[in-house]
Amino acid sequence: MSVRRVRSRAARSLVLCAPLPLALAACTSGMSAQSGIGSPAGGASLVGSAARGATLWEARCTACHTVDHNSVGPMHRGVVGRMAGSVPGYDYSPALAHAHFIWTREKLMEWLKDPGALVPGTKMTYSVPEAQDRADIVAYLATLKK
């Protein structure tokens, strides 16, 4: 076997194997991004995109919520860091009115995954099944500061 032929085989092997580390890195990062799906917080470990969350919020949440006024649901400005069931003038279910927790990112992820599981008896029945969508919506909600 000539040196030229060996080099050619080695070059082909490198070409075939070179993408492997990239593919493994992509799979690994995908796995870690999905690892929060089964967590108690329903994907709280995911990083959300506020820009994508704004689009999702507009499409999915505005039938019941606005940023600055109560509607079918309470207003969302200032929700992150606010005590659950505490927006003045909103008629909460007794369950949510008596919930004693602060809306953190993790609580909002749980809430959007399954509101009835977090607060049995709540009026909200809408859920967001995709963990990344929840993370994006919560990232957007976090931008709505008082």
Side-chain angles (χ1 to χ4, degrees):
M1 186 178 298
S2 73
V3 172
R4 185 176 193 176
R5 190 173 191 157
V6 169
R7 284 184 183 164
S8 177
R9 279 187 173 176
R12 275 187 269 156
S13 294
L14 285 174
V15 169
L16 292 174
C17 294
L20 185 58
L22 295 173
L24 289 173
C27 290
T28 301
S29 67
M31 288 169 54
S32 63
Q34 297 296 319
S35 64
I37 290 173
S39 70
S45 62
L46 294 174
V47 175
S49 161
R52 185 171 181 271
T55 301
L56 291 169
W57 183 85
E58 186 70 31
R60 295 180 176 189
C61 305
T62 56
C64 297
H65 295 275
T66 72
V67 172
D68 292 311
H69 304 286
N70 294 333
S71 181
V72 174
M75 67 178 171
H76 276 163
R77 182 169 305 283
V79 66
V80 176
R82 181 170 70 206
M83 176 65 82
S86 68
V87 172
Y90 183 73
D91 183 25
Y92 287 97
S93 66
L96 198 52
H98 294 99
H100 297 287
F101 61 82
I102 302 287
W103 287 117
T104 61
R105 182 180 183 279
E106 292 76 21
K107 283 291 185 193
L108 286 165
M109 291 291 285
E110 288 181 66
W111 176 256
L112 292 175
K113 182 178 181 181
D114 186 352
L118 181 63
V119 182
T122 180
K123 294 191 290 187
M124 183 164 153
T125 57
Y126 184 81
S127 63
V128 178
E130 296 296 325
Q132 187 62 60
D133 291 352
R134 291 191 299 272
D136 293 343
I137 291 169
V138 170
Y140 170 66
L141 293 173
T143 69
L144 302 175
K145 300 187 184 305
K146 282 187 170 180

